[in-house]
């Protein structure tokens, strides 16, 4: 063998040895980490996972190792939380330690820890507090968030009426509505559903969502070292995010010209005022870059989640005619046909409230949640979790808990009703996760779901095309549980 070959072979051997050694020493320190299956070099435990149904594989491992265990997703060490009580113990009782965001490799390179979804420490705290206040209507002018949603719900009805009872795939229209709600909050105007700019924005959001949910991105997340071989798609993802941010930047510039700090109309106005207030504070997190990233976060986190839930929900209602009949009865009794539904109606509509909860429970939109991380070394139960450890606080085991929800695999609004037909709350209802890092848009999303479902069913009877039982309801589940494509008819009532 020539000397170069020897050197290369020697180097390779050294590298492999080093990798083995580091994994082995991790293994060695593991005395203090939660138990779990032994990882292989590079690929970790991925052979133990069924990629068609990750939540099921994770539950199987919990049967063997208990409610908290360690798993290697490729080279990334992850501590999995499985079940209600461990979730509560970590995210609530020790919430301050568990509220850091874990890394999603495919997004990390793009966001670099900016914005509210991927921010850490003080930056995250400031952006989160500000965004929550704004979404709760503090200082956003006279029009409440509820009014913005009601307006959009009426536009949705107009759009569905145009289908004249013909078979329709609702995907596009149900995607427009939540996107427009975010537009209305960020820059106080909605778009027509055929506006070119709006369609372009939707296309970008949609494409990124597809990219994020593709096998390609799962591979990337498992084995970040692979990214050098997968540059094309990653570039596309990054470019789309940039385009969304450019779109927001345009709006920001318009707002800067017309800003009246005493009379802010929307999120961008509020943010710009805040920037002015803090312009002498060199540690302020309220800079332009965080505005663009947070704005794009709100679009990404708030559009596809809500629209998939609506789409899935209508399909479930189609499949259960008895549920639709009860909803119609309740709407006619409480609201009638002469006024638009408002959020106040919810307290008089326990059945609708239960349906919305059951839709969210049943569809289990984000089975493995978003990753968290511990922001300090901590002692948790009898284990030691080093600072930075990635945590997967799983939602499926809680939403599908068979003690709390008998027959958890069935769609049944009775899961949220008591014997007298009153709404029954459950602590196990956590599709938005729990604790300080839980969904920032929970209040908004719940208002949208109630108002959109109620307004649609106030105005239409849903009729299926063909046999609704043909659609399989449970599809591939990894990051998102998506409904199948389907058509239905909206018959005016
Ligand atoms: C049905 C609709 C929705 C569901 C099921 C949902 C669910 C979730 C979940 C599970 C998380 C991760 C929480 C955690 O890490 O513990 C999350 C985070 C987040 N969601 Fe939502 N979400 C929905 C709608 C929305 C909407 C409409 C918005 C827009 C305002 C939004 C904005 C966010 C943001 C900004 C975060 C990151 C929070 C942080 O890191 O502090 N979500 N969501
Ligand atoms: C939900 O629970 C039921 C009953 O315990 C089980 O058969 C089913 O596989 C679970 N589903 C998921 C997605 O974990």
């Amino acid at each position: 063998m020539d000397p170069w070959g020897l050197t290369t072979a020697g180097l390779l051997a050294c590298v492999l040895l080093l990798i083995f050694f580091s994994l082995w020493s991790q293994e060695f320190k593991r005395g203090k980490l939660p138990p779990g299956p032994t990882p292989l070099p590079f690929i970790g435990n991925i052979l133990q996972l069924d990629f068609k149904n990750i939540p099921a594989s994770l539950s199987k491992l919990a049967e063997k190792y208990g409610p908290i265990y360690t798993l290697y997703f490729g080279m990334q060490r992850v501590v999995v939380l499985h079940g209600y009580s461990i979730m509560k113990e970590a995210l609530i009782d020790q919430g301050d330690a568990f509220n850091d965001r874990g890394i999603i490799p495919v997004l990390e390179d793009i966001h670099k820890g900016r914005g509210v979804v991927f921010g850490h420490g003080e930056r995250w705290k400031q952006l989160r507090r500000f965004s929550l206040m704004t979404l709760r209507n503090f200082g956003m002018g006279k029009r409440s968030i509820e009014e913005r949603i009601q307006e959009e719900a009426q536009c949705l009805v107009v759009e569905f009426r145009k289908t004249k009872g013909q078979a329709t795939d609702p995907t596009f229209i149900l995607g427009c509505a939540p996107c427009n709600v975010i537009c209305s909050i960020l820059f106080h105007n909605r778009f027509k559903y055929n506006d070119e700019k709006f369609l372009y924005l939707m296309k970008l959001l949609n494409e990124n969502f597809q990219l994020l949910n593709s096998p390609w991105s799962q591979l990337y997340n498992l084995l970040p070292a692979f990214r050098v071989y997968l540059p094309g798609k990653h570039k596309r993802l990054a470019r789309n995010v940039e385009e969304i941010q450019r779109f927001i930047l345009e709006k920001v510039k318009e707002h800067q010209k017309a800003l009246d700090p005493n009379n802010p109309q929307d999120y961008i106005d509020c943010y710009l005022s805040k920037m002015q207030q803090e312009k002498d504070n060199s540690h302020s997190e309220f800079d332009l870059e965080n505005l663009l990233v947070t704005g794009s976060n709100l679009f990404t986190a708030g559009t596809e989640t809500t629209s998939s839930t609506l789409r899935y929900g209508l399909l479930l209602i189609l499949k259960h005619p008895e549920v639709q009949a009860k909803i119609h009865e309740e709407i006619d009794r409480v609201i009638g046909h002469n006024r638009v539904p408002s959020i106040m109606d919810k307290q008089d509509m326990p059945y609708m409230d239960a349906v919305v909860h059951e839709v969210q429970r049943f569809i289990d939109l984000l089975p493995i949640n978003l990753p968290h991380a511990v922001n300090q070394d901590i002692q948790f139960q009898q284990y030691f979790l080093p600072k930075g450890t990635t945590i997967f606080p799983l939602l499926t085991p809680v939403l599908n808990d068979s003690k709390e929800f008998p027959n958890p695999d069935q769609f049944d609004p009775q899961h949220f009703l008591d014997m007298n037909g009153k709404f029954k709350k459950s602590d196990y209802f956590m599709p938005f996760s729990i604790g300080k890092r839980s969904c920032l848009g929970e209040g908004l999303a719940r208002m949208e779901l109630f108002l959109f479902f109620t307004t649609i069913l106030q105005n239409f009877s849903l009729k299926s095309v063909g046999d609704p039982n043909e659609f399989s309801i449970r599809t591939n589940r990894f990051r998102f549980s998506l409904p199948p494509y389907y058509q239905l008819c909206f018959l005016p009532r």
Side-chain angles (χ1 to χ4, degrees), residues 59 396 400 402 408-409 477:
S59 290
T396 306
N400 192 55
S402 58
D409 263 349
R477 294 140 58 83

Side-chain angles (χ1 to χ4, degrees), residues 215-260:
W216 158 78
S217 106
Q218 313 314 339
L219 184 67
Y220 188 109
N221 284 335
L222 287 173
L223 305 168
F226 264 48
R227 71 180 130 215
V228 279
Y229 302 110
L230 301 161
K233 288 198 171 181
H234 185 255
K235 275 212 188 103
R236 171 126 219 127
L237 194 67
R239 212 182 63 211
N240 288 352
V241 172
E242 270 168 31
E243 282 286 293
I244 296 167
Q245 292 178 10
R246 203 194 329 265
F247 180 86
I248 298 170
L249 180 62
E250 247 174 60
K251 293 285 167 191
V252 170
K253 284 190 177 144
E254 289 168 24
H255 278 61
Q256 273 170 328
K257 280 196 205 117
L259 182 66
D260 173 4

Side-chain angles (χ1 to χ4, degrees), residues 167-185:
T168 310
D169 177 347
T171 308
F172 173 71
I173 301 176
L174 292 179
C176 292
C179 188
N180 246 340
V181 171
I182 307 278
C183 289
S184 172
I185 289 171

Side-chain angles (χ1 to χ4, degrees), residues 263-412:
N263 194 15
Q265 296 297 317
D266 51 39
Y267 186 95
I268 293 183
D269 277 351
C270 293
Y271 194 101
L272 291 173
S273 310
K274 186 91 180 168
M275 253 167 95
Q276 274 190 353
Q277 282 165 28
E278 302 214 344
K279 67 177 184 301
D280 297 326
N281 171 5
S282 58
H283 299 294
S284 172
E285 297 293 348
F286 294 90
D287 55 20
L288 195 59
E289 198 156 38
N290 273 326
L291 171 56
L292 300 183
V293 180
T294 303
S296 110
N297 286 164
L298 296 182
F299 270 115
T300 315
T303 300
E304 193 67 35
T305 44
T306 311
S307 81
S308 300
T309 306
L310 292 169
R311 212 157 83 226
Y312 222 145
L314 293 187
L315 179 58
L316 288 166
I317 293 170
L318 263 186
K319 277 202 166 209
H320 296 84
E322 75 288 358
V323 172
Q324 179 166 196
K326 282 190 189 154
I327 296 174
H328 279 149
E329 184 278 320
E330 188 176 65
I331 291 175
D332 294 349
R333 180 161 43 81
V334 178
I335 308 175
H337 289 262
N338 299 322
R339 64 174 178 86
V340 302
S342 81
I343 207 68
M344 285 291 283
D345 293 319
K346 192 157 84 171
Q347 66 200 45
D348 301 320
M349 297 177 66
Y351 193 76
M352 191 67 199
D353 203 7
V355 169
V356 177
H357 279 75
E358 179 65 355
V359 166
Q360 288 204 272
R361 183 199 73 78
F362 179 84
I363 73 172
D364 187 15
L365 186 73
L366 291 158
I368 64 170
N369 205 340
L370 294 188
H372 284 225
V374 288
N375 56 17
Q376 50 189 274
D377 289 348
I378 64 155
Q379 188 70 35
F380 184 67
Q381 296 190 338
Q382 68 269 45
Y383 307 114
F384 174 76
L385 308 179
K387 178 177 175 176
T389 303
T390 302
I391 309 289
F392 278 12
L394 306 184
L395 299 180
T396 306
V398 185
L399 296 173
N400 192 55
D401 186 294
S402 58
K403 287 201 201 72
E404 180 74 2
F405 306 110
N407 301 319
D409 263 349
Q410 304 288 316
F411 174 78
D412 183 0

